[in-house]
Amino acid sequence: MSLLSAMIKTYKGDKASREKTANLQRRRLIKLIKYAKSNSPYYKELYSSIDDELIASESFKLIDLPPVTKPELMSHFDDVLTDRSITMKRIDDFTSDLSNIGKMIDDKYLIFKTSGSTGNPAVVLYDKQNIDVSSAIAAFRTFARKEDYDRFMKHGKKTAGVFADYGFYLACGMSKYLQLKMPRKKTKINVDVNAPEAKIVKALNAFQPSMLSGYPSNLALLADFKELDIHPDVVITGGELLTDQIRKKLEDRFGCYVQTHYSCTEGGEIACECEERHLHINEDWVIVEPVDKDYNPVPYGKMSDKVLITNLSNYIQPFIRYELTDRIIVHEERCKCGRTSHWLEIEGRTDDILEFENEIRIAPMSLYKVLEEVPDIRRFQLIQRSLTKLELRVTTDRDKETVFENAKKDLIAFFRKNGLTNIMIEPSDELPQANKTSGKFKHIYSDFN
Ligand SMILES: [Zn+2]
């Protein structure tokens, strides 16, 4: 499938009836399952009791297949892939050379490392089809309002992303990939979210983006810098929950429409926001199943404990009923905007911005990025107990002492870099846990007066 054909299919998909989309989704699902079962040793084994005839039959249901998790897929990495020539060993060699960011291994696959909600990063390959579908959805569905899209086109599609600009993260890797493909086009920049604020402000002022994207909490911090003098046509956030408060703050500061979308490296573009602020699921390319703790389906309108996603465009590394820890509500009722797809609400990451002495403020995403890089950390929670003291809770399958030591070292180095030399990190015996009143889980929050 070419980019053009992905574009045409995706453009049409947005207008199709629910029945038509359901049929298309099913055809793509069956094709993917059959492909995974014949080409991936892992899925062959996992689906060994389900025969091909059943899969092709009317009675086959997606819930007949077992869910898969990140630790499982990562520990069987080579076997999950549908191309035997690619191995974790080769990927390690390839990604150890940072000049390979945005380049394809064997001219076939892009490699990304994820951020995720459970600590350990995943390694995700994108084949050509997955790249084309992501590009097509980005082109046709990202913008909630046509007028913003028109202005963006008129102003030369100048896009600035303020994301993690180290390593093989999706936003960074994808923008390098496009730069390498079209080296003369200067329509995209990526500014490292962890660079000093003055440097970020300078880069954005010089570039004058039409579209500004980044993590909501980081953009909210940047918005406080008076020196920041940009006039984007639209702000599109991602990676964390966009709260009403931050949306309003950014709208006031930049005088433009502010919106979000829901995506992850493994699932691709899962849902795009409309002008009703509803996240419409890209049902032609991804299947979203809200489930409870035991993987039972959760009905429309009810909050799930987690969600299973099936990415219908990734054939090199199939994600079929892949568990994400997000809690969502899927809505069946039609949306006023006219889009036909089901839409969802997400209870995303709602971590706090931490405040320290000398008015130094640290965005949660920056700390999140530090902690998720710590080897063997499975889950974590960082609680600010005073201006100088933070409590760290972790879960790990390995030696907890070592994980604490490594995390402590990295956190202290990070705080020093940000001008905080007196921060103490206290390891805790408690496990990361949700707030007992709200039931919401925060990875990073402040709890003192
Ligand atoms: Zn809508």
Side-chain angles (χ1 to χ4, degrees), residues 274 280 335 337:
C274 72
H280 286 269
C335 178
C337 74

Side-chain angles (χ1 to χ4, degrees), residues 289-292 296-306 328 330:
E289 298 174 79
V291 292
D292 67 14
N296 299 307
V298 168
Y300 291 124
K302 292 266 181 319
M303 181 65 79
S304 74
D305 289 311
K306 42 197 177 186
I328 63 163
V330 175

Side-chain angles (χ1 to χ4, degrees), residues 18-29:
R18 276 193 181 170
E19 192 194 348
K20 222 170 158 187
T21 305
N23 288 336
L24 176 65
Q25 189 186 65
R26 191 173 172 88
R27 280 202 306 278
R28 286 182 178 157
L29 173 68

Side-chain angles (χ1 to χ4, degrees), residues 287-428:
I287 301 176
V288 172
E289 298 174 79
V291 292
D292 67 14
K293 285 190 188 73
D294 305 314
Y295 302 110
N296 299 307
V298 168
Y300 291 124
K302 292 266 181 319
M303 181 65 79
S304 74
D305 289 311
K306 42 197 177 186
V307 52
L308 302 176
I309 50 140
T310 299
N311 179 343
L312 298 173
S313 60
N314 189 341
Y315 275 63
I316 171 62
Q317 187 178 7
F319 291 96
I320 302 169
R321 307 200 80 215
Y322 178 75
E323 178 179 330
L324 299 178
T325 48
D326 295 316
R327 287 159 54 89
I328 63 163
I329 299 174
V330 175
H331 290 268
E332 192 185 25
E333 62 271 24
R334 302 271 170 163
C335 178
K336 270 194 273 179
C337 74
R339 288 169 180 83
T340 50
S341 47
H342 295 81
W343 51 276
L344 58 84
E345 279 176 84
I346 171 168
E347 186 191 281
R349 299 173 202 152
T350 51
D351 298 344
D352 295 347
I353 292 173
L354 304 188
E355 306 196 357
F356 297 92
E357 284 166 347
N358 301 323
E359 288 179 24
I360 294 175
R361 294 193 291 164
I362 303 284
M365 193 51 110
S366 304
L367 291 165
Y368 192 92
K369 295 274 176 214
V370 172
L371 282 169
E372 73 170 4
E373 293 289 318
V374 174
D376 301 321
I377 205 161
R378 258 179 78 87
R379 220 169 149 77
F380 53 77
Q381 195 166 38
L382 188 66
I383 307 148
Q384 187 180 18
R385 296 291 187 197
S386 78
L387 283 175
T388 56
K389 205 159 55 175
L390 292 131
E391 176 185 328
L392 178 65
R393 299 168 173 173
V394 304
T395 53
T396 176
D397 300 330
R398 303 286 170 84
D399 177 42
K400 212 165 174 171
E401 291 292 305
T402 314
V403 171
F404 270 132
E405 276 317 302
N406 288 330
K408 205 167 145 176
K409 196 176 76 216
D410 292 352
L411 283 169
I412 286 183
F414 173 83
F415 282 117
R416 273 179 190 278
K417 227 176 74 188
N418 285 277
L420 291 160
T421 52
N422 57 349
I423 303 295
M424 284 177 295
I425 309 290
E426 298 197 330
S428 164

Side-chain angles (χ1 to χ4, degrees), residues 6-66:
M7 289 270 182
I8 292 166
K9 283 178 180 167
T10 303
Y11 180 72
K12 283 186 181 159
D14 210 13
K15 317 274 177 216
S17 70
R18 276 193 181 170
E19 192 194 348
K20 222 170 158 187
T21 305
N23 288 336
L24 176 65
Q25 189 186 65
R26 191 173 172 88
R27 280 202 306 278
R28 286 182 178 157
L29 173 68
I30 304 300
K31 196 173 151 205
L32 174 69
I33 294 170
K34 283 186 173 167
Y35 188 86
K37 205 173 169 227
S38 343
N39 295 282
S40 151
Y42 173 81
Y43 281 105
K44 187 175 186 174
E45 168 73 30
L46 189 69
Y47 299 161
S48 58
S49 62
I50 303 157
D51 68 40
D52 290 347
E53 262 173 54
L54 173 70
I55 293 170
S57 77
E58 288 278 315
S59 58
F60 171 74
K61 289 193 185 64
L62 184 55
I63 56 170
D64 296 339
L65 301 179

Side-chain angles (χ1 to χ4, degrees), residues 8 65 110 117 133 226 229 253 272 280 299 342 363 380 388 427 437:
I8 292 166
L65 301 179
L110 280 178
S117 335
V133 167
K226 281 195 249 359
D229 186 20
R253 176 63 168 84
C272 298
H280 286 269
H342 295 81
F380 53 77
T388 56
T437 322

